[in-house]
Amino acid sequence: MKRPLKPEELKIWGLVAATVHPLAGRDAPKPARPQTLDAPALIAPQRAGDAAKALREGVDPIEPNRRHRISREREEIGGRLDLHGLTQERARAVLEDFLKRAHADGVRAVLIITGKGVQGDGVLRRRVPDWLGAPHLSHIVAGISEAHRRHGGAGALYVALKRRPRL
């Protein structure tokens, strides 16, 4: 005789069952989900073209024409910052410093290289868009978009900077 599942086992089973899909062409019934399950929403892997949509609401994507000019290097990429190997605290400090210096120098676009992480879900890749959307950088950052493949693709971001105010 089978024993009833414990609450923590039900939760784990619910998470596993939510990730299972029937094979194509099979008319298998979907497994019933336990009623007591409070499973968090699972995040589907992003396609390359969806990166701009997935970015934080606080930062707009770069306008398509400007992004095209940056990716083709018709608009100069004024600086590159590689955050590989840095801790989150150090990476955030270096990123903010870099952006403030670039903006002060009148640079209009920069490339931030975060890397993809081991399985495409690196910590810096996820966190950098949030940091760029911080209120204290809103006077600097005009928009962000995933970089073209030759500039790092999903492991890098174009950051469009606002013009400096005239004095």
Side-chain angles (χ1 to χ4, degrees):
M1 179 170 198
K2 293 182 180 179
R3 69 171 174 80
L5 295 176
K6 297 177 185 174
E8 57 271 1
E9 292 171 329
L10 273 174
K11 188 173 184 177
I12 292 170
W13 177 251
L15 291 171
V16 170
T19 64
V20 176
H21 303 288
L23 295 173
R26 304 274 176 130
D27 293 329
K30 293 184 178 180
R33 294 182 67 171
Q35 297 297 325
T36 60
L37 178 65
D38 291 329
L42 297 174
I43 299 172
Q46 292 181 347
R47 291 178 296 157
D50 292 341
K53 295 175 188 171
L55 296 175
R56 186 169 182 236
E57 291 178 18
V59 181
D60 293 328
I62 299 173
E63 303 87 23
N65 290 338
R66 186 169 184 199
R67 185 194 178 285
H68 185 74
R69 287 193 310 269
I70 293 170
S71 69
R72 299 280 184 191
E73 295 185 31
R74 290 186 187 128
E75 184 174 326
E76 182 184 2
I77 297 175
R80 287 171 167 73
L81 176 64
D82 190 343
L83 299 175
H84 280 105
L86 299 179
T87 63
Q88 289 183 55
E89 293 101 21
R90 183 72 181 132
R92 185 173 189 168
V94 168
L95 174 67
E96 290 178 3
D97 238 21
F98 174 75
L99 290 175
K100 289 175 184 174
R101 278 195 327 268
H103 186 253
D105 292 344
V107 172
R108 298 279 294 149
V110 295
L111 180 68
I112 307 297
I113 302 165
T114 61
K116 293 181 188 178
V118 176
Q119 295 178 344
D121 62 346
V123 174
L124 295 179
R125 180 179 179 208
R126 285 192 321 263
R127 298 296 309 270
V128 166
D130 291 337
W131 298 340
L132 293 170
H136 67 280
L137 293 177
S138 63
H139 70 285
I140 295 174
V141 178
I144 59 177
S145 291
E146 185 176 288
H148 188 276
R149 192 171 75 192
R150 77 174 146 278
H151 291 133
L157 294 170
Y158 295 129
V159 180
L161 303 179
K162 293 181 179 178
R163 285 190 174 99
R164 273 190 335 186
R166 293 185 183 197
L167 297 175

